[in-house]
Amino acid sequence: MINSSLKQLGAMLQAKQISSTELTQAFLQRIDQHNPEINAYITIDAERSLAQAKAADARIAAGTAQPLTGIPIAQKDIFVANGWKTTCGSKMLDNFIGPYDATVIKLFDEAGAVNLGKTNMDEFAMGSSNETSYYGKVQNPWDRTRVPGGSSGGSAAAVAARLCAAATGTDTGGSIRQPASLCGLSGLKPTYGLVSRYGMIAFASSLDQAGPMAKSCEDMALMMNVMTGFDERDSTSLQRDKEDYERELGKPLQGLRVGLPKEFFADGLSSEVAAVVESAIAEYRKLGAEIVEISLPNTQLSIPVYYVLAPAEASSNLSRFDGVRYGHRAAEYDDLLDMYCKSRAEGFGAEVKRRILIGTYVLSAGYYDAYYLKAQQIRRLIAEDFAKAFTQCDVIMGPTAPGTAFRSGEKANDPVAMYLEDLYTIAVNLAGLPGMSIPAGFASVDGKQLPVGLQVIGNYFDEARMLNVGHAYQQVTDWHSRMPEGL
C-alpha cells in the first residue's frame, strides 16, 4: 500500500478497500518509526491529520470526492498553513503559527487531501544539501550518511522513505529537481507564475516556484491538476485556463526531438552519472525520439548570475524579519538598533547571513551597475539561448545534478562546491522555464547503489508534454518504483 501510486490509492479509497483514516494512520505509524532518524518532518499533528482524514471519508461516502481526496501528502514548511507551525527551517520563525492558508495549501484542502505535516528544509530555502535547517539535517533514505539534497530535502526524504504518498516542494535554483535526483524521485518545477506563490515565504521572488514531488510522472500530473491556476492574490500569477495535465500521458514519443546541450556533458559531470544518463537517452531512442545536439553557450554563467540576483532579492525579502514586524526577538538589548542587530544575529543561520551580506553588497550604491544590472543582462542572454534551442528540439535532456548524493558535511565548509550542485538546474529558473527530474537508474559509489536523475526541460507551459515524456520512460523502466532497503 505505501508504495502505491496516487491513482491506485484513490481507486482503493473509492472502492472502500481502505478508508482515509486507515491510510493516514498507516503513514503516521511509519513517521513515528522512521522520522526520528531521517528527520524529514519538522511538524506533525496527528490529531489534525486524522480529523482531515475523517472528513475525507465522509466526502467519499457522500460521492463528492476528487482524485486526491483522502490521500495523505506532506507540505514543505515554507508554505503558511492556518493553525500549523510554519518555520521555513529557521530559528527566526520557530514560534510562528500560520494565521491563514497559502494558496497551495488551500487548493489541496479543497481537493480533500490530508496534510500529514510540514517537512524539513534548508533555512529559508538556501542550500543544496538540507544541512542548514535549524531543526537539524535530513538523512538520505538510500544512505543515511549522505544528504538528500536541498532545499526540499525533507519532502524528498519523506516521499523516498514512503512517509507520505507525495509532497510539495519549491524550486529557486533546483531545490525540487536536485533532491528528487538524489533521492530517486520525480520532481517538477513548473513554468514561473503557473503555481501561486501566495503564502509561500519568499526567498528570491523572481525565481521561486512551487511544484510537486512524487514517485512518478503520473502522480505529478494529478498534483499539478490541483496546484495550478490563476490567483489574484499573487501579482506574478499567470491568467491561464485550467489545464488537465493527464491529457498527454498516453501519447507515443515517435518523432519527439530531444536536444542534448553539449555544455551539460562537459567537465564537472561524474562519469558514473554520465553513463546512467546516456543509458536513459538510449532508451528514448528506442521509444522513437530523435536526438539532436544543441548548445546553451551561456550556461556556465548561470551560477555567478544566480548568486548575484538571488541574494539581492533575499536581502530585500528577509528585511522584514527584524524582531519587530516578524520573527525572533532577542531577550536582552540596549536600544532599538541593538535589538534589531541581536535579533537578526540570533535568528538567522550562517548561510542566510552570507547571502544577505552578498545581496546587500551587490545592491549598494556604486556596485549596482557592475553586479546586479550586469547579471540581469546576462539573464536575458541565458533565456535567449533556450529560445533558440527550442527552435531545434521539443524538450531538452541532461543530468539533473553533476553527481550522486554526497556525504553529510562533505561540502559544508566549501560554499562554491555546494553551489556547483545546482550547475544544471539554475539556468531553468533564470529563464522561468519548466524543468523536471525523473529517476534514470543507479550509480555505484563506494559500494552503494545511489539514485541518478534525468533532467527534462520544456518550453513555457509545456508541462503536459514533459509529463508525457517522463511517463513514457516510466512505462518501460522501473527505477521510479524502487524503494530504499530497510524501509
Side-chain angles (χ1 to χ4, degrees):
M1 183 175 67
I2 59 164
N3 205 30
S4 301
S5 70
L6 296 183
K7 183 160 277 187
Q8 289 169 333
L9 289 175
M12 291 164 67
L13 288 165
Q14 291 294 325
K16 309 289 193 302
Q17 294 173 349
I18 188 171
S19 69
S20 176
T21 300
E22 291 169 332
L23 187 61
T24 302
Q25 285 172 332
F27 278 112
L28 287 172
Q29 285 171 3
R30 287 185 60 78
I31 292 170
D32 281 345
Q33 184 180 356
H34 298 292
N35 194 58
E37 186 177 5
I38 294 175
N39 200 27
Y41 285 88
I42 291 175
T43 303
I44 301 157
D45 187 337
E47 186 176 343
R48 185 185 292 258
S49 300
L50 288 170
Q52 287 186 338
K54 186 177 179 182
D57 284 332
R59 192 165 163 178
I60 292 168
T64 59
Q66 297 179 26
L68 295 188
T69 299
I71 297 179
I73 65 169
Q75 302 282 0
K76 185 176 181 179
D77 203 23
I78 200 169
F79 296 105
V80 176
N82 190 16
W84 286 80
K85 183 174 173 176
T86 301
T87 71
C88 222
S90 178
K91 179 181 179 181
M92 182 60 81
L93 292 173
D94 183 43
N95 294 319
F96 178 63
I97 304 296
Y100 66 95
D101 282 327
T103 296
V104 166
I105 299 276
K106 176 172 171 283
L107 291 171
F108 278 112
D109 281 352
E110 289 174 354
V114 174
N115 184 358
L116 270 181
K118 309 294 288 298
T119 56
N120 208 344
M121 55 179 285
D122 277 314
E123 185 179 10
F124 284 103
M126 298 180 191
S128 301
S129 65
N130 226 123
E131 294 175 290
T132 71
S133 170
Y134 175 64
Y135 302 93
K137 64 186 179 185
V138 178
Q139 295 182 351
N140 190 320
W142 290 93
D143 180 348
R144 310 291 171 80
T145 68
R146 296 176 186 271
V147 303
S151 66
S152 305
S155 292
V159 178
R162 306 306 191 248
L163 305 186
C164 60
T168 56
T170 62
D171 192 316
T172 305
S175 289
I176 286 176
R177 290 161 286 159
Q178 188 249 15
S181 174
L182 270 50
C183 290
L185 305 177
S186 303
L188 171 64
K189 173 225 163 300
T191 302
Y192 181 78
L194 201 57
V195 177
S196 172
R197 294 188 303 111
Y198 178 77
M200 193 176 101
I201 297 172
F203 161 20
S205 303
S206 75
L207 301 162
D208 298 339
Q209 187 59 205
M213 304 183 78
K215 294 186 284 292
S216 68
C217 289
E218 185 183 47
D219 283 1
M220 293 202 299
L222 288 171
M223 293 182 74
M224 285 288 287
N225 282 347
V226 173
M227 297 175 75
T228 54
F230 173 66
D231 182 3
E232 62 183 10
R233 292 172 298 183
D234 175 4
S235 62
T236 62
S237 180
L238 298 167
Q239 293 206 42
R240 291 178 60 84
D241 293 336
K242 192 86 174 170
E243 290 195 46
D244 176 6
Y245 291 96
E246 292 183 275
R247 69 180 188 275
E248 295 193 18
L249 287 183
K251 283 191 174 179
L253 299 188
Q254 289 291 338
L256 179 80
R257 294 173 301 161
V258 174
L260 300 186
K262 59 184 180 182
E263 293 81 4
F264 281 20
F265 296 88
D267 293 343
L269 178 64
S270 92
S271 56
E272 293 86 0
V273 170
V276 171
V277 170
E278 285 165 6
S279 177
I281 300 296
E283 199 66 52
Y284 274 102
R285 281 197 180 92
K286 293 179 191 172
L287 289 169
E290 176 190 355
I291 310 298
V292 295
E293 183 178 288
I294 60 169
S295 178
L296 299 171
N298 291 296
T299 292
Q300 78 277 11
L301 298 174
S302 60
I303 286 187
V305 166
Y306 177 85
Y307 282 100
V308 170
L309 298 181
E313 295 185 24
S315 69
S316 174
N317 280 326
L318 270 58
S319 64
R320 74 193 69 174
F321 302 109
D322 56 10
V324 177
R325 288 170 292 183
Y326 295 98
H328 167 80
R329 179 180 294 184
E332 296 181 5
Y333 45 85
D334 296 328
D335 52 31
L336 182 63
L337 181 61
D338 192 41
M339 185 193 72
Y340 284 145
C341 293
K342 285 182 176 172
S343 297
R344 286 170 68 82
E346 293 174 7
F348 290 134
E351 182 61 28
V352 174
K353 289 174 187 171
R354 179 185 292 122
R355 298 198 193 194
I356 289 174
L357 286 171
I358 293 170
T360 306
Y361 179 80
V362 301
L363 288 176
S364 60
Y367 297 101
Y368 178 89
D369 286 357
Y371 292 102
Y372 186 78
L373 187 61
K374 184 62 68 179
Q376 290 286 25
Q377 291 168 337
I378 298 172
R379 181 179 189 172
R380 166 61 67 179
L381 295 178
I382 291 170
E384 289 175 355
D385 283 350
F386 280 111
K388 183 179 178 183
F390 282 120
T391 64
Q392 302 169 265
C393 62
D394 301 310
V395 295
I396 296 169
M397 287 188 188
T400 305
T404 55
F406 48 94
R407 294 192 185 281
S408 298
E410 184 178 327
K411 300 183 180 182
N413 297 317
D414 188 346
V416 174
M418 189 73 82
Y419 297 164
L420 286 171
E421 282 297 307
D422 297 329
L423 177 64
Y424 306 124
T425 53
I426 280 177
V428 171
N429 298 75
L430 292 170
L433 291 163
M436 176 174 80
S437 181
I438 58 174
F442 292 80
S444 180
V445 181
D446 298 335
K448 288 273 187 180
Q449 291 294 307
L450 298 174
V452 173
L454 172 71
Q455 183 172 204
V456 181
I457 302 168
N459 211 341
Y460 299 107
F461 311 115
D462 218 5
E463 284 83 355
R465 171 151 49 183
M466 292 166 60
L467 291 166
N468 162 234
V469 168
H471 181 68
Y473 179 74
Q474 291 177 342
Q475 296 306 293
V476 296
T477 61
D478 69 348
W479 309 120
H480 62 290
S481 63
R482 299 196 184 186
M483 274 184 63
E485 292 181 3
L487 291 168

